[in-house]
Each structure stands twice: as structure tokens, then as C-alpha cells.
Amino acid sequence: RLAEHGASVLFILFCSARDVLFWQIIYNKYVDKGAHFYRCDFQVHTPRDIDWKGVGARTEAERHEYATEFIQACRAKELHAVAITDHHDIHFFDYIKKAALNEKNADGSDLREEDRLVLFPGVELTTSSPGCQAILLFNPSISANVIVGVLNTFGIHLSDTTDEKTSPTIRLSPKIDFDYIYSTLEDNLLTRGQFILLPNISARGDYTIFRRGNALVYSKMPCVGGYVDGIIVDKNGFNQKVRGKNIEWGNKSVGVFQTSDNRHRDFSALGSAATWVKWSSPTTEAIRQACLAKESRLSQGTPELPDISITKLYVSDSKFLGQFEIDFNKQYNAVIGGRGTGKSTILEYLRWGLCDQVAPDKQDDELNTIQSSRRGLIQKTLQKNEGTVRVHFIKNGTPHIVKRTSNPDRVSIRIGNGVFQECSEDMVRMLLPIQAYSQKQLSSVGVRMEEIRRIIEAPISEQLRDISLSISDVSLEIRSLYGDILRKEEAERNLARYELEHASVKEQIAEMRLSFSATVKGDENIIRLKNQFDEERKLIGTWYQQKDALSDMIDQLLSMVLLFPYARFSNTTPVVQSIYKDLGNRAAQLQKLLNDAKSLVSGDGNLSFENSMIDWLAADQYTETEYAELKSLLNVSEIQRKHLVELEERLHRVEKGIATNNQIISELAHVNIRYEDLRDDWRKLHESKITLLAQECDRFSELSKGQIKVEMENSIDVASISKSIKNFLLKMGVRTTRIDSITEMIAAASKPVEVWNDIMNEFEILAKITSSENGANQLPVTANLDKHGFTQNELMNIMRQSSSQSWLDMSLEEIDFNPVLKYATSIEFEQYISFSDASAGQQATALLTVLLNQPGAPLVIDQPEDDIDNRAMGAVIEHLWSAKRKRQLVFASHNANLVVNGDAELLVCCDYVKKDDQSKGRIKYEGAIDQAEIREEITSVMEGGEKAFTLRKEKYGF
């Protein structure tokens, strides 16, 4: 569709950030058939105005020139619709209309009809009864000649078309009041239903209806809206009056339109005071509907719209509805129709396409029944026909498409302009975590903590997911490091054993050599040298191990440098290419430095080092030869000589073990610090999770309007931590009461994560040691476990049977929290009961209140009216008005109040293909309430349809 815009697409690409939002809003009208916001200025004058400022337009050429400039100015001022409203005159409208019809795209091609500037023909009237001004607007399609005839009926004689200015304005006759104007236009077949009258309701001025003596007229007038000159100013109780909060003015509420009252040739005022108006097609009936639902259809500032929305549902084939496609509105979508016409089916296909399938709960028969029914629907109506479901959605301006085939069941996704790639259901749920409820499912949520948590956590789901991913990442690194910790501790234990043995063997050898030295004259010096070279060999061996380790590290760095920077790129800017070149040069320099470092470590080419080593090796070899000769001359038994050789060989092995373990300890010197830092990160991440949840619980309470109180105190998930400890202590003979005591202490703690860590530390001590290391009956200090009654036998069993790996698995389990919910039986007196003790209707109404006040992902509910108390319907409707600014709503409903007074932007009307045959369904209409066929459908098929429209008439006076 964008391609059809031709060069205008280039214009959009170069818009400012504000312009992009502007075009995003107007572009919605090409997507669905529902209602969308348009920026309007409903009081604009032409050069015919007596008070015109700037160059006039007398000749035909001048008038056409002005009209062309006017259209260009409207585009520049980002207006979608304007009303031409000269005083008691309509003549200039045709010039502007012709200019609008002649407007072209940037490439010279014709504009599409829906892209054209919307022009409402109108007249600014000055009435005597009441003494004020009023704007009379007509449908864009109406003929100017018809309007001229209407004005003549009102006693208005238009100035000659050749006059540059209109004649001075003369007030209408007192008999031509608002009621007369309405009745006259309704009686005229050419104008019936094609007009709207908007009086001047400025806070002050000579021409506003809000003047002394007009209160009764205002309260009784048939008008549902009014306009102000310029920006709304809350003077003289203006807001109270227009919102129906002033009894003196009849508590009459009206829609308010800011207007520029532009009469400047430089268009300096044009669009300076505009109003966003929502409609599906630009008619005066749409303006009237906007006044009747002003809370959601009128906005003086740029409208707030959801960042995430489902844009299209496509089903290739299904048993009941066949192939169908629905373009959804960004705001409130209502699927209506008679019973059994496919409303629920549409919502279930939508949910199935987005993989919104909650796992069955073994303890919840009602939920399992709902889930079973949902699965049956998909199997019987979609999978049997091998249907494919495609769901298009936009997230923060980026288009996504999820495609799910029913046979075989596969899910793939396309992001932006990419290609489809297979993905998991979890990935789809992560990208678009819709909140969806089947019929009567909302009223069963209150007893299921999992669902309660899902509602509470929905607005912060991404932050919580990030925390969980961080906890997972930290846990993985802890697992990796913990192996190093154990390896280092093992090396330290081995080193201690080797050092002890080395001291013993060394002393034994020294003693034997001393005892032998007396047998051969002059051998004391050889033995001394032998002892010295043994020590030096040990030292040099350690150095060479360190040198080899350094060389290996340099090799690893070299392998990384060879891959830096990553060279795969295309279509990059010159700046990025320059950065790549610079990094490449640095990598080359680094590679040279590392090669030099490797040579430096190895000592290759270092003559001084090499000569020193040659000298030392020669001296060592000479000493070994002398010592060997000495041993052959010793006057000792062969057994003693053999024993000395064995001790010397053992000394070499021990020295090698010492060097190896020293190297391991050296390599892992900082592992404990890093491990403790990661453990601290794990704890802090859980604390940030608690803080985030606590903040959201407070906000949840606020969103419920006081109906629900949510607390985080003592909310740790006892069941999950109890399960973790039980899994660790499985088959160790530990009594369940000990575990219960621990979990109760953790649950009651003000800082549960710290208490959990303290308990874990004591279990770790037991898991790391064995009875052979610590004595058969000697146990380490475990103050916390002792406090909870662990016996010596139980602790010994843990010490003998547990492992570091099982302890690690337990200690790294992510801790969850279950907020505590209470229902307010009296908000005023702060009286609460457990949320589970409230009735299903009370629970559902309170939760729906929260859901409608939460921003975030689309909310899909099948027949919400089944769950809520009828007495709460008024409040729910008011929440709907604000809800659709923050999140997309997709409801299937039989309740006309939810649809009409909730003011759905798009209605999808379902029906049977044949009236008396219920075997096949169809999408009969898609549209908005300002369309006659949609209003007729609501009245004929919805429960209370006519009454809902009547209720609105009674409430708003029309």
C-alpha cells in the first residue's frame, strides 16, 4: 500500500519525529475500516471575510491562486480536515474544493480519494436567539447550491459573487433559533442528517453562548458540541460547564472544538488551535458521534495511542468461517453478532495464532475444561481443514507477522522486511505477550495465583524477563566458576599434602646423604652441590610452567585478535567503513605486539638467557655425574643405595606435583573474588526483582481504584523453595518438619534472600566435606541448621550423601514471589478480606478494572459482560475510554452498552451465510458506530442495542 503513494513515501521518510507520528496516525485509515483520529480546524475564513488581513482575492485568477495556496498551507500545518466558515456566505468554498480536487502527488500523479484534504462546507451564523455565533457544518458531499437555498430560508441574502468582501453581517431573526434551524434542516430531504450546528462556547466574548441569560437556552439546545475561538481557556468555570458539572447551566455536557478562526493571508493562525476528531468516514454524523463520545473521540492534543497492536488476522481456511481476513483497529475492537455466528471462534484463532495457550492445571478442573474446549475448537474447525493462521502486529513501529500452520503445527515469524524463520511458541509469547481470557475465564482467575501474577506482572514483564535472564546468565557463570573453585580448593589440598611430603622426603634424603658422606673423603662438596641443584631445578621447573602458561594465554589472545574486527558487513556508511579500517589497523598492531610478547616470554633469541641456561644445565649435568660416581663408591648396601634412588625419584615427582598445583592456584588466584561478586550479583538481582514487584503491586492497587490491595511482605514462594530443599535432602533421613521450619523462617524474614543465602552457606559447608576429611564424628558449625533442630545424625547424612553439584543446583534456583491480594469490602474504612473470599463477580470486576487501566500488550476477552456485575458496567465503560489509549482491546460481546457507550473504534459484525442455515458463518460488516449499517446491526442483533443508543441520547441530550 505504501508503494501506491509513490513519491509521497519519500516525503514521509524525511519528516521530523513529530511528523512521523502525524503520518502514523493518519496512515491508520488505510489499514482498517474503523474510526481514527484526524486533525481538524473547523473555523477557517477566506478573503471574502470583512476582517480579512492581507492581500485579498477579487478576480477569478486571484481566487484560484489563493485556494491552491490554502491547500498547500493545510498540508504544511499538518491538517487532515478543515471547515470553510465565512460569515453568512458560502461562495468561496467551491474554489477551495476545486483546488483540493486538483492537488497532485509529488510525482504529478492523482491523489487517492482517501488521501485528499477533507473539506466541510459551512457558514458562521450570528443569531439573535440566543445572542451568539454558531457554525453550521454540512457533509463534504453536499452541493453549495443546497446550502445557498438553506441560507435564503433563514433570511440570509448572500453578497454578489463578484464582490471582494461580504456585506456586513446582520443577525438572524429572533424566531430563527437553534430549534428552528434543526427542524428546518431535518424537514429538508436534501439536508436531513447531513449537518451539525456548533454554537460558540468560548469562555468569554461578545459572541459566546456562555453569557448572562443564556443558561436555559444552553441546557435545552439540541446541539451536542460547540467551538471556541483559539485555544481552550478555563475561565468563568468553563470546564465545569462543558463537562456537565454546573447545575445552573443544566448539567449539560458538550464536545468542544478548538478552532483557529484564521483570517490571515499568510495563514499564520491556520491550525494553531486544532482538534483531533475520530471518525471512520468524514461526515457531520461522525462529528456528532464524536461529541456524544467526546471522552474517546475528541482530543485537543496529539492523541495517545498504544505502542503495540494487532493489525490483521488472516485465516486460510476453517470449517465454519472459511477463509477470512480482519484488519484490526489500534484501539477498541468489538466482535458482535448473534449467538453461534463465530465471535468466539475469531478470538480463539487469534489466540492460537499468537500461541497464547496456558498450560493445564492439575488442580483446576474449571480451567482445564476451558482449555479442553479451546483445543477442541482448534482441532475441529481449523486443523481438520489444514488451515493456516497469520497474525500481523506492530510493536513500537516495527511490523511483525506470525504464521502458524495447523497440520503440521509449526510456527514461524517475520520481523520487519526480513524473511520467515521458524521459532518456538515461547518466542512468540515473548514478543507479543497478549492477555486473553475465554468466556467466564476472568471470573476464575481470582483463585489461581499463576494468573494473578500474570496480570500483576504484565506491565513489567520485559523488565522481569530481563532480570530472569540476568539471573540465568549469572547462574551459568557461577556454575562455571564453581568448578574452578572446587578445582582450586582441590589444588590447595593437594599442595598441602605435597608440601608436607616434600619436607619429609627432602629431610630423609639429606640425612641419608650426610650419613653416606663420611665413607668417601671430600664428598661433602658434591652432596652440597647436589642439594643446591635439586632446589634450583624445582624453582626453574616452576618458572617454565609459568612461562608455558603465559605462552598459552598469548596464543588465545592471538586467536581472538585474528577475528577482530568482525569483517562481515554490507551497505555501510563511509564513517562505519572508516571505523572498521581503524580497528583493523589496531588489530594488526596488537597482533605484532602479542607475537613480540610471545617471543619475549619464550626467551627465543635472548642470548643472555640462553647462555645462562646452557651454563646451568652443564653445571647441573656435571654435578649429576659426580654424584652418580660418588654413589657408586659409597660403602653401603645395595638396598640402601636403591632406597636413596627411590627417595630422589619420589622427590622429583613431589616437586612436579607442587609446581602443577601452584600453577593451578596461580591461574585461579582471583576466582574466589569473582565468585563472591557473582553471588552478590545474584542476590542484588533478586532484590531488584522484589523492588520492581513491590512498586508494581502498589501501582496495581492504584489501578484497581482501591478495590484490591496487593502486598509483597511475606510473599516469597514457599512451595518452590521448600521443593528445592526437599530435592536436595531427598533420601537423607531429614524430617519434613525441619524443612518446614526453614521455609517458614525464610518466608517471614524482612530480607528473605539474605536468609536463604545464609542457609545455603551452611548446606554448602556440609556438601563440600567428607567424614574422612573432618573426622568420623566431627561436624562443622551450622548455627542456623542447629536452630531448626537438625540432629547430628541428620547433619552427618547430609555431609556423607550430598554433593557439591546437588547443592549448587539448589542454591541457584531462582526465587519467585507470590503477592498477597486482599479485596476491599469498604474502601472508605479500609476493610479487607482475602481476595479468594470475594465473589467471582467481585473478583472479575476488580481485575477487569486493573486490566483496563494497565498499559501494555493487547487485551483479548470473550464476552467480558459474563464475568462482571451489571451494576459496575458504568464504571467499566468509563475505564474503556481511557484504556484504549494505553492498550489495544479486542472484545467479543453481546452487551450493547460495552460497544456503544464504550465507543468501539471498530466493529466486526458476524452473521450466518444463509439466514436459516447455521452451518456457515461470515464477516458481514466491518466499520464504526458513525456508519448507519453498523448502528442498525447493533440495534438488531445485540442485547439492549436500542436501549444503549437511547441511554446515550438521554445522557447527552441528543
Side-chain angles (χ1 to χ4, degrees), residues 128-187:
S128 299
S129 179
C132 70
Q133 289 180 334
I135 289 175
L136 179 60
L137 299 183
F138 295 91
N139 277 351
S141 59
I142 203 167
S143 166
N145 290 332
V146 172
I147 300 174
V148 170
V150 168
L151 297 180
N152 288 336
T153 303
F154 296 155
I156 297 173
H157 301 290
L158 277 67
S159 303
D160 192 278
T161 58
T162 60
D163 293 345
E164 182 177 3
K165 307 282 186 180
T166 60
S167 302
T169 302
I170 301 173
R171 290 183 181 273
L172 299 182
S173 166
K175 75 171 185 176
I176 305 176
D177 57 14
F178 291 166
D179 288 329
Y180 180 88
I181 292 171
Y182 262 93
S183 61
T184 300
L185 294 174
E186 281 298 319
D187 288 343

Side-chain angles (χ1 to χ4, degrees), residues 642-904:
K642 184 178 179 182
H643 185 48
L644 177 60
V645 171
E646 288 174 349
L647 282 173
E648 288 173 341
E649 289 176 350
R650 178 59 187 162
L651 185 66
H652 285 308
R653 288 195 297 272
V654 169
E655 287 174 348
K656 186 177 180 181
I658 289 173
T660 299
N661 285 283
N662 267 325
Q663 183 62 38
I664 293 171
I665 294 167
S666 177
E667 289 175 0
L668 303 176
H670 302 292
V671 70
N672 292 84
I673 297 173
R674 178 59 181 156
Y675 176 80
E676 291 302 325
D677 287 343
L678 287 170
R679 277 291 181 183
D680 194 46
D681 289 344
W682 189 91
R683 177 184 58 80
K684 288 177 179 177
L685 283 167
H686 277 83
E687 288 176 353
S688 65
K689 181 178 178 179
I690 294 172
T691 301
L692 184 63
L693 281 168
Q695 292 171 348
E696 193 57 35
C697 285
D698 290 342
R699 202 160 74 93
F700 187 94
S701 301
E702 292 175 10
L703 293 176
S704 75
K705 305 303 179 184
Q707 296 178 63
I708 306 175
K709 184 178 182 180
V710 191
E711 299 173 337
M712 275 293 292
E713 187 176 352
N714 307 131
S715 64
I716 194 168
D717 187 355
V718 174
S720 65
I721 63 172
S722 177
K723 182 180 178 182
S724 296
I725 298 174
K726 284 178 180 176
N727 286 340
F728 175 68
L729 299 176
L730 191 66
K731 298 179 181 178
M732 293 186 191
V734 177
R735 292 187 180 181
T736 306
T737 53
R738 316 275 192 251
I739 300 170
D740 292 342
S741 178
I742 289 175
T743 54
E744 286 170 10
M745 183 185 76
I746 296 171
S750 58
K751 295 184 177 180
V753 178
E754 289 187 8
V755 177
W756 168 264
N757 281 334
D758 290 341
I759 297 291
M760 292 302 102
N761 289 339
E762 293 190 3
F763 278 131
E764 181 187 21
I765 294 170
L766 293 170
K768 273 186 175 181
I769 63 176
T770 65
S771 58
S772 61
E773 291 175 335
N774 210 36
N777 297 309
Q778 187 177 349
L779 289 165
V781 176
T782 52
N784 284 303
L785 298 182
D786 294 343
K787 190 188 302 180
H788 294 287
F790 278 73
T791 66
Q792 184 170 341
N793 283 338
E794 288 173 330
L795 294 174
M796 287 295 293
N797 286 341
I798 296 171
M799 187 173 69
R800 290 170 181 152
Q801 298 178 39
S802 62
S803 67
S804 294
Q805 184 59 53
S806 62
W807 170 83
L808 188 64
D809 292 340
M810 171 179 64
S811 71
L812 293 178
E813 283 282 343
E814 182 177 349
I815 299 174
D816 279 323
F817 302 88
N818 292 325
V820 179
L821 271 73
K822 298 178 181 178
Y823 181 81
T825 54
S826 172
I827 297 174
E828 181 182 358
F829 296 104
E830 297 186 358
Q831 294 177 345
Y832 298 93
I833 59 174
S834 172
F835 192 74
S836 59
D837 291 336
S839 70
Q842 288 173 325
Q843 291 176 355
T845 302
L847 290 173
L848 183 59
T849 299
V850 173
L851 290 168
L852 292 176
N853 283 290
Q854 270 185 343
L859 176 63
V860 180
I861 306 180
D862 191 357
Q863 295 179 207
E865 64 270 15
D866 290 352
D867 292 295
I868 58 179
D869 191 329
N870 242 352
R871 292 169 296 180
M873 190 63 70
V876 169
I877 286 168
E878 290 187 11
H879 293 316
L880 276 173
W881 297 335
S882 59
K884 55 191 176 178
R885 300 191 194 112
K886 305 167 189 171
R887 69 187 314 178
Q888 185 184 36
L889 308 175
V890 182
F891 292 176
S893 179
H894 290 289
N895 189 294
N897 266 330
L898 279 177
V899 174
V900 175
N901 292 306
D903 190 37

Side-chain angles (χ1 to χ4, degrees), residues 132-135 178 197-202 209 221 223 225-228:
C132 70
Q133 289 180 334
I135 289 175
F178 291 166
L197 184 66
L198 304 172
N200 187 319
I201 55 172
S202 299
I209 196 171
M221 70 178 183
C223 308
Y227 75 96
V228 299

